[in-house]
Each structure stands twice: as structure tokens, then as C-alpha cells.
Amino acid sequence: MRATSFCVTAFVCGALFFGCAKPENRAVARVGERTISVGQIQDRLKSKTFSSFEDELAQKRTLLDSMIDEELMIMGAIEAGMDKDPDFLVKIKDVERRTLLEALYNTEILEKSTPSEKEMKEHYERMSWEVKASHILVETEETAQEIAKQLAEGADFAEMAKEKSTDRGTKDKGGDLGYFSWGRMVSPFQDTAFAMQVGTISKPLESQFGWHIIKLEDRRQVQTKDFAEEKAKIERTLSSANSKRLGQEYVTKVKEKANIQLDPEVVQVVLNKFLAKKLSAEDFTQEEKEMTLVTFQGGSWTVDYFLAEMEKIPSMYRPRVKDTDDLQALVRNILTGHLLEGAARKKGFSRKKDVVETIDAEKNRALLQVFQQKGVPTDTTITDEHIQAYYQDHIDIYSIPEQVKVQEIQLITEEEANDILKQLRRGADFGKLAREKSMRKWAAKKDGDLGYLDRKHYPSIANAAFDLKIGELGGPIKESNKYSVIKVLGKKPSQAKPLEDLQDNIRVVIERERQKDAVKIWLEEMRQQKGVEIFTDVLESTVVTPKKEAEAA
């Protein structure tokens, strides 16, 4: 499950989105009271290509049969009460929250992020200039003000950057950021830098990274392409920047309106547990769990509620908490996700058709997954006799294939191979010739020894070697556009693997096959019970690959 805090970050950065295509809604099949639409078939086969009319129709029919089975499994999951399982309900709650945030983001942020022609032209004009700047980055305004005071009194900017800046990428270079164009830096950093005079130092300013002090080193004009050529790129850049800015502003307004207040004493209680790495509910007394950690317009959270929400955050997304500020930021971030969800519900997004359809589709996918994991009840009794019988019936797949040990000299031409073969038949040393002549270098180092091969490894060589006796020479054999001369060094017959080493594996295979057979029977029964109707004419009307002339006639 994604963390609420992750959803908030995605909301600000614009990582959440809906598809905008409207699917074809004609029914291609009916399964009980449920339908499968043409659009659902098309979505599954978006990037698929077909060789003919018949191929496309066959693949769509196969897919449709699979989708009918899925619908039956979803119906089975509901009838079995799997949609009432507490873990499932938590998962669906998270799906609803993410979907509502996506809808809220689309309407309140994305649709308002498209830049005007005037904005794009202003951006284009700024692109003809680059500035060179250095900066000092620190965490707090207090530290930034102290550094600004020292700079005003004559302190060297580069030395102060080396000593005080937290930007590891630039501090050793005296804060030097090099030349950058408009759009490369965040606001208000770039707004300030481009408005400055060369040689001046800015007042402390805050960005999402902390507090900056900027020194403008240089300004230069650069050549740019025509506006028409740059327009699409500018639009993407400004849309992205606008969406981030609007997202941040929206989240800020939601927080301000909520009037979030944390109790300092309770925060300290929770922080102590964090620092002691005791974060499970069992690590808190009942009294501590019932303490009110945070209040906001319309509600409050106890420590226990906060812990439950934090548990939903995967460990990879949990920020490190080392002090009061970190803990307060974590609480606010998780709470903000809930506040944004509430804002979406107030605006009626939970009743919008596309939102409802998205949630239903995700719910169905989750139900299908649960059903497939739990399966259909089957006989779980697997005796030693069952395992023995399965082993005997499938002895071919539980056997080590016959093998042949081969020595090889690989050459480029058939003529060279025949010459080497003649030398060997006159008594030349195979290993010596392999070391000197073979193109397969790794084997040449071992006198041409390829080790034991079955028929899957170097099949041309292995098949020829199986026809030879031990000690016999063979070739030339064409393998990968080269020619091989071989000598058979040994053979091993096919050998069955010991049953005792395979029992656990065979037991799992039998369980899977029984489950597969049980599901197949169950699906056949469900088809009869629920009723399945396929609209063949509708399915055929979706085929876009043309018939060949002879077929059409």
C-alpha cells in the first residue's frame, strides 16, 4: 500500500494522473448481470499487432474467454465474502484515497497549469540570457541571517560557502553553480538571481531546499532557436513548473484552513519512542495511546490513530525522525493526505463517473488477485503413493539426460578443419593442436575440453558426438558459422534423479495441478450457473485487420 505521505508528494509534483481516452462501451459479452465492453477488450490489446483478420479475431476471442473467467472469479470472490475481509477493505480504502487525490489533482492543478501564450513568450525572452551564480545553502533563517551579516561586514563569499553551506555539490567550489538558463532553478531562487546585478549579494531567501544567499557572478546572452521551434518544450517546462507551484499552494491552503495544532507534550512522548525505536502500539501504555496528538478543524487524532496510519507507510517511504521538527512534519504530512481526501469528497469527486469506474476497476482487480491466491477448495491429501505415481508418470522430466564429454578444435573454414582432422588421424596431439589452433579460446586453454554436453548444449556437436564411440574422432561439424573437429572422451547414460530429493517439489506440483483442475471445473459450473452470452457480431465488428481479397470474396 502506498503511503499517504507519498500521495501528498505525488499530488504536489504531479505524479498522479488519469487516462483521458473514453472507451467503447458496447457490450461484447454478458456474464450473469455483469458485462464486458468493447473498450475493455481494446484496452488489453492496445499495442498488439495481428497478421490477419482471422488472427485478430482468434486472439480477441481467446482474450474474451479469459476475461469471462476473470468476471466469474470476481463474482465467486464476492459470494465467498472476500470483499469483506479487513485487509482487503484497508487496501480498497487506500485505492479510494489515491483515486480521489488523482481526480482532485486533475481538476484543481493540472487543468489550471497550461501556460498562456504571453507566459511562453516571456519565458522565451528570458532563455536568451544565462547567469552565473554562487550560493550558500543552510537549514534555518537564523543561520542565513548571521551569514548575511558576516558577508556585509566583508567576509569572503567563497570561504563562507566552503565553511557553512550544506550543498555538498557546490560547497567545495565556493558555492559555484556555474552558468544556468531560466527554468533550470526553482523559484524564488531563479527569480532573485535573474533580477540581480553582477557582483551583488542577495538577502536570505527560502526555497523548498532551505535558505539561500546568492552572489551573482556574471550574465551573458546566448543564441536560441526560433520561438516556434522552442514553443512545445517551453509549454512542457511551464506546465510542469505551474503544476508544482499550484500543488504546493493548494496543499498550503488546505493546511492553513485546517488550523493544525500539535500538542508539544504528546509530541515529546511519541518522539521518545521514536528515538528508542519502540514504535509498535504495544510499546505505548493505554493512557499514552489515548492522548490527543493533533487537532484540526473538524477533528483530532490520538496517538493510537496516528500509529495506525503510520503503519500503513512502507518502510522505504518512512522518513527518518531525529527531532521534534521531523516528527511534527511527519504528522502534518500524513494528516494532509486525509485533509486532501476530505477536500475531494466535499467537491463531489467520489460521485463522479470516472472516479467510481476507476475505483470499481481497482476493486475488481484486487478481488481477482485474492481469489487467485486463495483458489477453489480442493482435496489437500497427498500421500507417498500419489508422489510415487506422479514421479513414475513423469520420469522423463525428473531424469538427467544422457551426456557426452567432448574435446574440440574450432576453426574458421571447412578446409582448415579437414586439414586438422588429417593431422589428428596421423597421430598429432589433440590438446596441443587445440591450444594452438582453436577459435574457442576458453576451451583451448583446457586442451579443447568442452566438458559433458547434453543435446541442448552445442546441439550440432553433441548430436554428432553421441553417434561416435569413446576415443573416436569426428567432423568437420558446422556450428555457428565455424567448423569443429571433435573427439569423444566419455559418455554418461540418462539417469533418474532420486525420488527422495524431489518429494517436496512434486508435492507442490501436484497441489498446483489439482488447484488448476478444480478451478477449471469450478469455472465450467459457474458458466452454467450464471449464464454467459457472447455477442459474436459485436466482437467481429471490432476487428480492424482487413480480410485478404480471396477471403473477402
Side-chain angles (χ1 to χ4, degrees):
M1 183 186 303
R2 290 186 185 178
T4 301
S5 57
F6 176 74
C7 286
V8 174
T9 302
F11 182 90
V12 170
C13 295
L16 302 168
F17 59 91
F18 276 140
C20 297
K22 294 188 176 180
E24 165 72 74
N25 288 321
R26 283 184 300 158
V28 73
R30 182 173 289 112
V31 186
E33 296 182 359
R34 302 168 73 94
T35 60
I36 298 172
S37 70
V38 168
Q40 288 172 281
I41 295 281
Q42 291 171 335
D43 282 346
R44 297 273 190 105
L45 294 172
K46 276 180 193 171
S47 56
K48 190 77 175 174
T49 57
F50 307 98
S51 60
S52 65
F53 179 94
E54 288 74 15
D55 177 47
E56 182 176 349
L57 181 59
Q59 289 200 46
K60 286 185 172 180
R61 178 54 196 261
T62 299
L63 173 61
L64 181 58
D65 283 337
S66 175
M67 293 174 72
I68 289 169
D69 288 346
E70 290 176 3
E71 291 294 335
L72 291 169
M73 291 180 194
I74 291 167
M75 293 164 73
I78 293 171
E79 289 176 2
M82 295 178 188
D83 59 334
K84 303 295 191 297
D85 181 81
D87 290 339
F88 177 81
L89 292 174
V90 169
K91 184 175 184 178
I92 294 306
K93 177 64 178 173
D94 181 65
V95 167
E96 290 177 354
R97 179 176 299 161
R98 286 190 287 111
T99 306
L100 287 168
L101 288 180
E102 289 170 359
L104 182 67
Y105 175 79
N106 270 353
T107 302
E108 298 297 323
I109 308 303
L110 199 59
E111 292 177 4
K112 300 175 181 178
S113 298
T114 304
S116 65
E117 191 78 8
K118 181 182 176 183
E119 286 178 293
M120 289 190 283
K121 286 184 177 178
E122 287 176 352
H123 184 93
Y124 174 73
E125 290 171 5
R126 288 177 175 136
M127 285 172 59
S128 62
W129 289 92
E130 286 183 338
V131 296
K132 182 181 181 183
S134 299
H135 82 139
I136 299 170
L137 176 67
V138 292
E139 292 185 0
T140 67
E141 182 180 11
E142 183 181 0
T143 304
Q145 293 292 357
E146 178 58 32
I147 293 171
K149 181 181 177 183
Q150 293 180 49
L151 291 170
E153 293 172 352
D156 183 77
F157 192 97
E159 290 303 316
M160 291 296 287
K162 291 177 182 178
E163 181 183 345
K164 302 288 187 179
S165 183
T166 59
D167 183 351
R168 295 180 181 179
T170 64
K171 66 177 297 179
D172 292 337
K173 299 184 292 183
D176 185 9
L177 291 163
Y179 283 96
F180 54 88
S181 57
W182 183 266
R184 292 285 303 278
M185 299 293 179
V186 297
S187 295
F189 187 98
Q190 71 173 1
D191 304 273
T192 301
F194 274 80
M196 292 171 63
Q197 297 296 317
V198 174
T200 60
I201 296 173
S202 73
K203 295 178 180 179
L205 62 124
E206 187 181 17
S207 79
Q208 64 201 67
F209 301 105
W211 285 84
H212 307 261
I213 300 173
I214 305 170
K215 180 178 181 181
L216 191 67
E217 309 281 0
D218 192 20
R219 182 192 302 273
R220 68 184 182 188
Q221 197 160 14
V222 292
Q223 190 171 0
T224 58
K225 297 177 183 177
D226 291 340
F227 175 70
E229 293 181 72
E230 294 282 4
K231 185 176 180 179
K233 182 180 177 182
I234 293 171
E235 185 171 8
R236 289 194 300 271
T237 299
L238 289 179
S239 292
S240 176
N242 289 345
S243 64
K244 288 178 183 177
R245 175 179 55 79
L246 290 171
Q248 289 168 346
E249 291 173 357
Y250 194 90
V251 169
T252 299
K253 286 179 182 177
V254 167
K255 287 181 178 180
E256 289 174 351
K257 186 177 179 181
N259 189 27
I260 300 169
Q261 300 292 328
L262 288 103
D263 187 312
E265 293 182 5
V266 181
V267 167
Q268 190 60 50
V269 170
V270 178
L271 177 62
N272 291 339
K273 301 288 186 180
F274 261 93
L275 298 178
K277 299 191 185 322
K278 293 181 177 181
L279 295 174
S280 67
E282 291 75 21
D283 295 319
F284 290 77
T285 66
Q286 188 61 34
E287 182 182 358
E288 288 172 334
K289 288 192 282 189
E290 292 175 358
M291 290 178 174
T292 299
L293 175 63
V294 57
T295 60
F296 50 93
Q297 187 180 45
S300 63
W301 280 7
T302 62
V303 169
D304 195 38
Y305 192 93
F306 165 70
L307 293 173
E309 289 299 309
M310 193 183 67
E311 275 299 309
K312 298 175 184 178
I313 305 176
S315 56
M316 69 184 75
Y317 293 133
R318 289 185 194 175
R320 184 182 173 191
V321 173
K322 57 184 183 299
D323 55 32
T324 302
D325 289 342
D326 289 343
L327 179 56
Q328 289 184 343
L330 175 60
V331 175
R332 290 176 185 276
N333 206 11
I334 296 175
L335 176 56
T336 299
H338 288 260
L339 296 173
L340 288 169
E341 180 189 357
R345 290 186 183 279
K346 284 181 181 178
K347 290 179 178 292
F349 287 109
S350 59
R351 299 186 297 276
K352 288 196 172 184
K353 184 180 177 183
D354 55 350
V355 172
V356 172
E357 288 177 350
T358 299
I359 293 171
D360 285 346
E362 288 291 334
K363 183 177 179 180
N364 286 337
R365 272 193 283 270
L367 279 171
L368 178 62
Q369 186 178 34
V370 171
F371 183 89
Q372 290 172 334
Q373 288 171 348
K374 295 188 175 181
V376 176
T378 57
D379 181 8
T380 57
T381 305
I382 300 174
T383 65
D384 290 342
E385 287 73 22
H386 290 136
I387 294 173
Q388 176 73 36
Y390 192 92
Y391 174 75
Q392 293 297 337
D393 291 343
H394 300 83
I395 194 68
D396 54 327
I397 65 173
Y398 293 119
S399 296
I400 300 170
E402 61 178 337
Q403 295 178 308
V404 59
K405 188 174 175 65
V406 177
Q407 195 174 14
E408 177 215 34
I409 302 172
Q410 186 187 64
L411 299 136
I412 295 177
T413 68
E414 188 175 11
E415 184 180 357
E416 290 176 296
N418 278 316
D419 181 60
I420 290 292
L421 189 58
K422 289 177 183 178
Q423 294 181 50
L424 292 169
R425 284 176 174 158
R426 290 197 298 264
D429 182 87
F430 198 107
K432 183 172 183 296
L433 284 175
R435 290 193 301 273
E436 294 174 353
K437 303 289 187 179
S438 183
M439 300 299 296
R440 203 183 302 276
K441 298 303 180 183
W442 66 266
K445 295 175 183 178
K446 301 188 291 180
D447 293 346
D449 188 357
L450 295 178
Y452 278 97
L453 309 176
D454 58 32
R455 294 184 187 273
K456 293 179 181 178
H457 296 87
Y458 306 121
S460 299
I461 294 173
N463 288 332
F466 277 117
D467 292 335
L468 300 173
K469 296 176 183 178
I470 294 175
E472 193 173 355
L473 295 169
I477 303 158
K478 190 173 182 180
E479 177 83 11
S480 302
N481 296 320
K482 294 187 176 63
Y483 295 85
S484 297
V485 175
I486 63 171
K487 180 178 180 180
V488 177
L489 302 180
K491 291 186 177 183
K492 290 180 181 179
S494 176
Q495 185 177 343
K497 298 175 184 177
L499 176 58
E500 55 267 24
D501 295 342
L502 300 166
Q503 285 186 331
D504 290 343
N505 174 270
I506 293 174
R507 187 181 300 278
V508 171
V509 171
I510 293 173
E511 288 174 352
R512 286 176 181 168
E513 290 192 359
R514 284 187 182 180
Q515 181 59 222
K516 184 178 179 181
D517 291 341
V519 169
K520 184 177 179 181
I521 293 169
W522 182 87
L523 285 170
E524 289 172 355
E525 292 174 349
M526 284 288 283
R527 281 179 179 247
Q528 294 297 320
Q529 180 185 334
K530 300 297 181 184
V532 173
E533 186 178 4
I534 296 174
F535 306 118
T536 305
D537 56 334
V538 176
L539 184 64
E540 289 184 358
S541 73
T542 69
V543 178
V544 295
T545 307
K547 288 184 178 181
K548 295 177 182 176
E549 289 186 13
E551 295 169 348

